[in-house]
Amino acid sequence: MAAGDFSDLVAFIAVARERSFTRAAAQLGMSQSALSHTIRSLETRLGVRLLARTTRSVSPTEAGAKLLETVAPRLEEIDNELATLSEQKNKPSGLIRITTAEHAANTVLWPRLQGLLQDYPEIRVEINVNYGMTDIVAQRFHAGVRLGDQVEKDMVAVRIGPDLRVAVVGSPDYFSHHPQPQSPQDLSRHKCINLRLPTHDSYMVWEFEKGGNPLKAHVEGQWTFNLGSHILRAAVAGCGLAYLPADMAKEEIASGKLISVLEDWCQPYPGYHLYYPSSRQSSPAFSLLVDCLRYRP
């Protein structure tokens, strides 16, 4: 293939990743018919079927999956190097994609990055809220945010926040009908509000520790959400007990809308860290973002 045919590979990668001609066409800024023609031309030149198409879905064939696995990282490396060269001669600019949990987005990323983007209007930041253990390389994120003890060893980890505590909270109305739990074992007799995790389609386990003895509780209740803000709202409404970062519920606790229980079981745990591949070539914009987020006690 000639160098000019790289655009065909870019088109194939977009369709294979999005598994949709509609979304890929929108991403590439071209019509679906033109994109379909480009893919057919590429398959004809290579003499192999790259995509399996039905009326409802698009997925890579075995040959297509192999091509995606081998070619996509190389094209991304070229793109990253070209972007780096461009940024070195211009002002810091470009898109930085970060995956994070809602609490970290609200308490760390938003308050700090707001000022950075005002000072550097050519930098763009995309925040993706996701409670799953995202593979940032496969999902094409520049960085992710996790608690310190969850960062993989082959990643660069930069602390961006202090240690945290969780709180188990319930409304006065809820506790007027249910006794306050004295230990995590008592939670089995309570209505608890669950957080659904996308990883393995499971509920978040409530973790506790007292006197050096860790304890995990699998709780049940009528309500399940995938966002902490919704869990907080349900707790204030008296729907059950919630397990949340303590600072997320501090205003409601201070105002008496929520009551904190099991405090002696809720110990501090490692705070948020920004993580990214150790092999990543940092651009000026990314370096500025890391320095802006770095925790300075």
Side-chain angles (χ1 to χ4, degrees), residues 77-272:
E77 287 177 5
I78 294 172
D79 188 55
N80 288 336
E81 290 297 330
L82 291 175
T84 299
L85 289 174
S86 177
E87 289 184 350
Q88 286 174 348
K89 66 177 182 179
N90 298 309
K91 293 184 295 185
S93 62
L95 173 66
I96 301 174
R97 302 181 69 233
I98 305 173
T99 178
T100 180
E102 180 189 24
H103 180 251
N106 291 336
T107 61
V108 179
L109 300 185
W110 167 252
R112 297 192 199 166
L113 295 183
Q114 185 181 15
L116 177 70
L117 268 62
Q118 288 176 347
D119 293 338
Y120 295 92
E122 299 301 319
I123 298 177
R124 295 174 293 132
V125 173
E126 177 182 331
I127 305 295
N128 180 279
V129 173
N130 191 326
Y131 284 93
M133 303 296 279
T134 304
D135 183 337
I136 61 173
V137 175
Q139 297 298 318
R140 293 177 294 156
F141 287 101
H142 296 88
V145 176
R146 287 183 188 169
L147 297 173
D149 57 356
Q150 296 177 346
V151 177
E152 297 175 4
K153 301 301 182 183
D154 61 343
M155 293 284 175
V156 175
V158 177
R159 189 181 184 93
I160 61 174
D163 284 350
L164 300 172
R165 297 178 69 100
V166 294
V168 178
V169 294
S171 71
D173 179 64
Y174 177 84
F175 285 125
S176 69
H177 298 89
H178 303 84
Q180 293 189 14
Q182 302 303 309
S183 72
Q185 289 88 342
D186 295 339
L187 294 173
S188 61
R189 297 189 291 273
H190 282 268
K191 297 178 180 179
C192 297
I193 306 167
N194 267 305
L195 173 69
R196 171 76 72 178
L197 299 175
T199 306
H200 305 305
D201 193 29
S202 61
Y203 295 141
M204 185 178 73
V205 176
W206 293 18
E207 298 186 10
F208 301 94
E209 183 179 337
K210 185 177 181 180
N213 297 315
L215 188 151
K216 295 183 178 182
H218 297 266
V219 301
E220 295 183 356
Q222 292 179 288
W223 289 92
T224 299
F225 298 94
N226 67 343
L227 287 177
S229 56
H230 295 175
I231 293 175
L232 177 63
R233 180 178 61 190
V236 171
C239 297
L241 300 183
Y243 179 90
L244 294 164
D247 63 334
M248 188 173 183
K250 64 181 181 181
E251 292 184 7
E252 288 75 12
I253 294 173
S255 66
K257 293 180 180 179
L258 290 175
I259 298 170
S260 178
V261 297
L262 298 178
E263 292 184 346
D264 55 339
W265 282 92
C266 298
Q267 302 300 318
Y269 58 92
Y272 294 120

